[in-house]
Each structure stands twice: as structure tokens, then as C-alpha cells.
DNA sequence: AATACAATAACACAAACGTGTGAATTTTAT
DNA sequence: ATAAAATTCACACGTTTGTGTTATTGTATT
């Protein structure tokens, strides 16, 4: 590292690119060391720069920015990727974060947050605009799968085991009861959850029954 | 709503409580309308106030603050719960968020962020300190369950269907192929994933094989 | 003391699943 | 153009699962 935070911008719209650059260069300790406008040249050239931060647009003309991150990440272990996009689509957010992006900003809110976000990303934080954080939190709240009081203590134990991928026989061995008893419990569990297979029960357990 | 944001603090340590209160009251449009020091009285009295925001400590003497949120939430649909805690333990964070909290702040960073966070929570955002956001992002990245290139396009389609809880016959009907073909694909999928049941395959699909 | 629920267990039968083997056709890559 | 991989389908056999029925024992609740 040098005495400034090196940033590369990948963004196809030149005007937007310039705007971001000028925003960042108001600060002395951030330097935009390169800009790219398509994923092909970004993939080729970025590794040479070893930037601290890459600001990545998702809607590139020749392929998704997520693909770009996926390919660059292994070569640049010290670089933090921050996604910059127009859309607050939850699919995209989850995909972006799970593919190695460390932060996720909406273009409409960059004026207020961009510079601060670069610092945060550099310090190992995860900049997200308020709206994005809200979506992430929602994704946890959807997982309010089964009311705790619906199943008895023992039934929860059985379901937990099932949700680890075990088969009936193994559950019985773990809990020191016969397979028949396990089947007996699961019959009641399935009844209470309104399902007819271990698959469906597991999905409910993880709150993956509706949506996504 | 009135012309200010009404806040209730639930925090057992009186000194900390007073400190938070004085922080918030530097701003005219935030009013601390009550404070509680244990979950029993909080549960009884808070519904009468219908506050905009509840700042909730997790380590109350008589029961977890999470339980408290769980009980209050249904009675106060317009109230936003923000957790205030000493610890950045990931279990707690996920539990808190999935039980109805809208934000999660660490006590050590409240000086900088508290007032801003109240505004954000009020506007429907999700205030989180940078460290918490980082943990949340990490939880997505751990879910890098299966390498995309491991399975073919068709195999992904089959697995997706399976992960919706469908049985083989239904998968075949959805994709317009015979059950035998579904079985054929799943045989290869199980081989590639090193599993021996639909249960295990689904767990891998959702990244739930290790931990949690 | 009576009633309800929880936990345990067995038997039975059909449906669904896991796996071995084999093979034809289409798509993709070299 | 040729090899390799992907997609499709079938038959067979043993295992696992889903569900109906029934019963014993322990533990609360009233």
C-alpha cells in the first residue's frame, strides 16, 4: 500500500464514469488509477494495477459485472469489490454479495455516500446504502419459518436432525430411540407443518418455502 | 405521528441508559419518552406508548431482549426495533434480525452513529454498524455452496426443482422429460456433490452443509 | 382422579428413492 | 471432422420413506 487508496472504476456509461471520478478526486487520499468501460478489457488489465478498490457496474455491454468479479477475485486477494448499480433488485444484491463483492451501492445515492463508502470498504467494512441493508434484513425476516410453539421439544430435536440430512435410522441412533419412534414423530411433524416429505419439511425449517 | 420521533430505551445499566438518552436529546426532533431496565416492565408498559423506535439491549437481567422483541412486535406494528449490544456475535445478530429487529448497533460505535441511525430506522432503513454489515455479507459468501461449473445447465434446472421440494415425477412434468431421465440426472448430480439423498443435495444447494 | 398430551414402539403396505447397467441422440469443443 | 460431453430414456432391485392403525408408559393440567 501507498499513501492513498487506489480505485478503479468499471462503468460503461462514460458520463457516469467521469462523474464518479470527479466525486472521488475531491479527496486527496483517494486516487482513480484507471477506468474501464467493458468487462473484457477490465478482465485483462485490472490485475496489473492491483487496486485497493474496484467500483463495478453490473450492467456492462459484454457480460455481467458479477462474472467479472468472479474472475478477478482469485487474482486479486487484496482488492475489495464494491458494486455500483441502478437497480435495487434483491436477486442481484444477493448474487453480487455471494460472488465476492464486499459492498453494494445504488447510483442514485452515491453523492452522499460514495467517498465515505470507499473508506469503509478500505477499512474492511461493508458499505451498503440504507435501502440495500433493508433488503438484506428482510431476507432474514422471511426465515420466520415455523412457530416455535407448534412443535414439541422432542419434535424439534427430530426435525433438527432431519435438517442435517440424516436418514431416519441415523436420527434414531443419535437420539437413542428406535426408527419406528422416529417415524412416529415425523408423522406428527409432517401433519403439523402440512407437508408430505422430508424435502418439504426441511424447506420449511430453513424458511425456504415461499419465494426466492 | 407527531412532530418528533418518539424513542424508548430498554437497557439495564442505568449509566449507559442515561448516556444514550443524552446523546439522543441533543437533537430536537428525537424525544426519549420512556426508559426501562428489565424486560418484564418493558413488556407491560411499552404497548401503551406506541413509540416510533425502541432501542433494545440484548442482555437484560430477566430474559433476552430478543424474546422481548418477539412479544412486542405483534402489538406494535408501526414500531421499529433497533438492537443495541456490546457483542458482535454472529449468532446473536442473525437471531436478532430474524426475530423482528430492523437494525443492529454496537454500543462501542453509538457515539458516531446513534442519531443518524434513529433517522434511518424511522425512514424505513436498516441501520447497522460497519462491522455488522460485514458479518452479514460474510454470511452470504459462506453460502458459496456449489461451484457453478460443477453442474451442467440441465443439472442445475433439475436441482433447482428438487430444492423446491418437488418429487421426481413432478420435476419430470415441469421440465417435460420422463421420470427416468430425472433419476438419471440426479444420479450424476449426487455423484458430483458427493451425497446420497435429496435431503443432502438440498442442504448443499442452500449452503447449509457446514455450520449453523 | 380423570383427562390430555408427549414419548415410545411395532406391524403393514404402497409409494418414492438410490443405484447399477446399458444405450440412443444431440450438442459442444478441439 | 471427430472426440467428448450432455441429454434423453429404460429396466431392475433393494432401501427408504409416508401413512394408517394400535398400544404402553410417563407427565402435566385441571
Amino acid at each position: 500500500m501507498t499513501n492513498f487508496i487506489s480505485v478503479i472504476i468499471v462503468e460503461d456509461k462514460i458520463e457516469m464514469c467521469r462523474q464518479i471520478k470527479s466525486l472521488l478526486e475531491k479527496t486527496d487520499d483517494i486516487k482513480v488509477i484507471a477506468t474501464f468501460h467493458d468487462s473484457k478489457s477490465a478482465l485483462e488489465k485490472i490485475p496489473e494495477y492491483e487496486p485497493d478498490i474496484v467500483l463495478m457496474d453490473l450492467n456492462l455491454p459484454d457480460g455481467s459485472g458479477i462474472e467479472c468479479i468472479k474472475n478477478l477475485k482469485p487474482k486479486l486477494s487484496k482488492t475489495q469489490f464494491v458494486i455500483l448499480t441502478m437497480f435495487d433488485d434483491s436477486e442481484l444484491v444477493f448474487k453480487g454479495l455471494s460472488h465476492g463483492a464486499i459492498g453494494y451501492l445504488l447510483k442514485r445515492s452515491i453523492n452522499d455516500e460514495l467517498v465515505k463508502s470507499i473508506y469503509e470498504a478500505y477499512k474492511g467494512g461493508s458499505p451498503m446504502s440504507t435501502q440495500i441493508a433493508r433488503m438484506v434484513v428482510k431476507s432474514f425476516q422471511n426465515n420466520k419459518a415455523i412457530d416455535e410453539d407448534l412443535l414439541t421439544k422432542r419434535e424439534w430435536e427430530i426435525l433438527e436432525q432431519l435438517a442435517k440430512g440424516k436418514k431416519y435410522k441415523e436420527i434414531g441412533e443419535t437420539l437413542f430411540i428406535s426408527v419406528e419412534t422416529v417415524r412416529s414423530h415425523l408423522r406428527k411433524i409432517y401433519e403439523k407443518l402440512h407437508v408430505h416429505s422430508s424435502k418439504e419439511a426441511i424447506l420449511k425449517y430453513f424458511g425456504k418455502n415461499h419465494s426466492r
Side-chain angles (χ1 to χ4, degrees), chain A:
Chain A
M1 134 174 181
T2 43
N3 54 340
F4 58 85
I5 303 174
S6 56
V7 175
I8 289 180
I9 304 169
V10 183
E11 159 68 59
D12 60 330
K13 272 143 291 182
I14 313 239
E15 188 38 51
M16 172 63 82
C17 201
R18 187 152 35 208
Q19 196 190 320
I20 295 168
K21 188 173 171 182
S22 74
L23 257 173
L24 289 178
E25 295 196 327
K26 282 178 183 163
T27 319
D28 277 343
D29 31 359
I30 296 174
K31 288 260 186 305
V32 176
I33 57 175
T35 60
F36 298 96
H37 312 292
D38 59 283
S39 75
K40 194 161 134 269
S41 56
L43 275 170
E44 281 169 17
K45 302 288 185 173
I46 289 183
E48 299 168 18
Y49 288 95
E50 293 187 19
D52 295 315
I53 313 264
V54 171
L55 284 175
M56 176 73 70
D57 181 42
L58 281 193
N59 307 98
L60 301 171
D62 61 339
S64 143
I66 289 178
E67 281 303 308
C68 209
I69 292 177
K70 221 176 99 182
N71 281 302
L72 286 170
K73 197 95 206 275
K75 299 174 198 158
L76 293 162
S77 58
K78 287 172 194 161
T79 299
Q80 312 287 15
F81 294 85
V82 176
I83 291 173
L84 246 184
T85 181
M86 287 299 292
F87 314 105
D88 51 354
D89 170 284
S90 68
E91 282 281 338
L92 272 183
V93 172
F94 298 131
K95 223 172 174 181
L97 294 182
S98 71
H99 280 72
I102 200 190
Y104 204 109
L105 298 174
L106 296 177
K107 282 178 186 170
R108 75 177 95 102
S109 55
I110 57 172
N111 286 305
D112 307 329
E113 304 179 354
L114 189 59
V115 169
K116 196 190 66 192
S117 295
I118 298 287
Y119 287 125
E120 281 182 4
Y122 185 71
K123 289 186 300 182
S126 278
M128 295 188 217
S129 59
T130 301
Q131 297 102 314
I132 298 293
R134 190 81 187 85
M135 289 172 46
V136 170
V137 168
K138 259 195 197 151
S139 89
F140 282 98
Q141 290 174 345
N142 287 341
N143 289 11
K144 263 277 87 297
I146 309 168
D147 187 319
E148 285 193 27
D149 298 331
L150 182 62
L151 303 184
T152 68
K153 213 173 122 205
R154 196 54 155 175
E155 283 165 355
W156 274 111
E157 288 173 341
I158 306 259
L159 182 55
E160 252 164 51
Q161 294 296 315
L162 190 78
K164 284 182 179 173
K166 294 190 183 173
K167 44 183 61 166
Y168 294 8
K169 196 182 156 198
E170 294 168 328
I171 297 175
E173 279 160 7
T174 309
L175 300 182
F176 306 109
I177 52 179
S178 91
V179 197
E180 284 302 325
T181 306
V182 175
R183 274 142 64 78
S184 202
H185 284 299
L186 279 166
R187 201 178 304 121
K188 293 218 77 180
I189 293 170
Y190 291 174
E191 220 176 276
K192 288 177 176 178
L193 301 185
H194 306 296
V195 301
H196 302 277
S197 71
S198 60
K199 287 195 275 281
E200 292 176 299
I202 291 173
L203 294 186
K204 283 225 167 181
Y205 182 83
F206 287 118
K208 293 284 162 62
N209 29 338
H210 352 281
S211 81
R212 210 176 312 171

